[in-house]
Amino acid sequence: RKVVQALEQTAREILTLLQGVHQGPGFQHIPKKCQKAREHFSTVRTQMESLKTKFPADQYYRFHEHWRFVLQRLVFLAAFVVYLESETLVTREAVAEILGIEADRERGFHLDIEDYLSGVLTLASELARLAVNSVTAGDYSRPLRISAFINELDSGFRLLNLKNDSLRKRYDGLKYDVKKIEEVVYDLSIRGLNKEAAVGAGGEK
C-alpha cells in the first residue's frame, strides 16, 4: 500500500505538470513539460521496481486491485506525453517500457491489456478538452488533428469485443468525446477558421 501511495503521488505530480498545456501560454511550453514529465517517469520506474518485490511473482492478479487504478492513470499520462510529443498513439509495449514493467504476462509484473485500454480511453477525454482549449488559445489546426486521431481511435475500439463492464462503460464515454470534438471542428468550419488552419499547417510543412 505504501508503494502504491508513493506511485499515486508521482502520478499526481505528472498530471499537475501536464495540466499546464491547457492554459494559453502552455502550448509554447509543451516540449519542456514533456521532458519534465519523462524525468518523473524515472521515479515511477524506481517505485515499480520496489512494488515488484512486495508480493510473490505468481500472485499478480491476487493483488492487482491495489495498483490497478494508479497503473491506468500512469498509462494515460504516458500516452498523453507521447501524443504531445509526436501526435501518435503509444503502444502497450512502449508504455510498459516507460513504466519499467513487462508487456508480456509470462515475464512477470506486466501491463494488463485492459489497464492499457482504460488509460487510452482517458487520453481521449483529455484530448477532447485540449481541442476546446486549443481554440481558446488561437490554435485552430490542433483540433482538426485531434479529431482525425480520435476518429481513428474510435474505429479501433469498434473492432474490439469488450466484455469487461468497467471498460465497456469507459468506451461508451468515447462517443461523447468524439461528439465534443466534432462540435469544435464544426464550429471552426462555420467560422471559416478550419481553412485558415489548413493553410497554416501547409505553410508549416
Side-chain angles (χ1 to χ4, degrees):
R1 263 195 217 111
K2 279 181 182 167
V3 181
V4 169
Q5 280 167 2
L7 272 169
E8 284 167 350
Q9 179 56 36
T10 310
R12 277 193 292 273
E13 287 166 15
I14 299 171
L15 182 62
T16 305
L17 177 69
L18 293 176
Q19 288 305 298
V21 305
H22 290 287
Q23 279 112 38
F27 284 93
Q28 292 133 38
H29 306 303
I30 284 176
K32 203 180 282 181
K33 288 186 184 297
C34 289
Q35 193 184 338
K36 273 198 163 171
R38 292 236 178 220
E39 287 165 19
H40 280 294
F41 275 113
S42 65
T43 306
V44 169
R45 286 192 288 277
T46 305
Q47 289 164 339
M48 283 293 185
E49 282 305 317
S50 175
L51 184 59
K52 290 174 196 176
T53 65
K54 304 296 179 195
F55 65 96
D58 60 347
Q59 293 188 23
Y60 177 92
Y61 284 105
R62 182 181 168 193
F63 298 99
H64 183 230
E65 278 304 309
H66 285 285
W67 59 75
R68 185 169 64 94
F69 175 76
V70 71
L71 199 54
Q72 290 174 5
R73 168 66 59 91
L74 288 165
V75 169
F76 148 61
L77 294 169
F80 194 28
V81 167
V82 169
Y83 179 82
L84 290 171
E85 288 172 342
S86 61
E87 298 193 359
T88 58
L89 176 63
V90 72
T91 62
R92 183 170 156 228
E93 290 73 21
V95 178
E97 197 177 319
I98 291 168
L99 302 183
I101 58 179
E102 301 294 340
D104 221 340
R105 182 175 176 170
E106 282 71 41
R107 298 179 68 178
F109 194 103
H110 64 286
L111 175 56
D112 185 79
I113 186 75
E114 287 179 358
D115 290 338
Y116 166 72
L117 294 173
S118 286
V120 167
L121 287 168
T122 307
L123 171 69
S125 302
E126 193 72 10
L127 291 181
R129 189 176 156 219
L130 189 65
V132 175
N133 292 328
S134 300
V135 177
T136 313
D139 183 346
Y140 304 130
S141 62
R142 193 179 293 271
L144 306 181
R145 300 197 303 274
I146 289 175
S147 176
F149 177 84
I150 293 292
N151 280 319
E152 213 172 311
L153 194 64
D154 184 44
S155 301
F157 269 94
R158 282 172 195 272
L159 298 173
L160 301 176
N161 180 18
L162 298 175
K163 290 175 181 159
N164 177 306
D165 286 346
S166 66
L167 200 56
R168 178 89 228 172
K169 278 179 201 152
R170 297 286 287 280
Y171 170 61
D172 288 342
L174 182 59
K175 287 181 274 200
Y176 298 104
D177 296 326
V178 170
K179 191 166 178 287
K180 192 174 174 183
I181 296 164
E182 278 173 355
E183 282 167 5
V184 172
V185 172
Y186 176 70
D187 201 37
L188 287 173
S189 68
I190 289 276
R191 294 161 192 254
L193 293 169
N194 61 342
K195 293 189 189 78
E196 195 182 301
V199 170
E204 281 165 29
K205 281 174 193 171

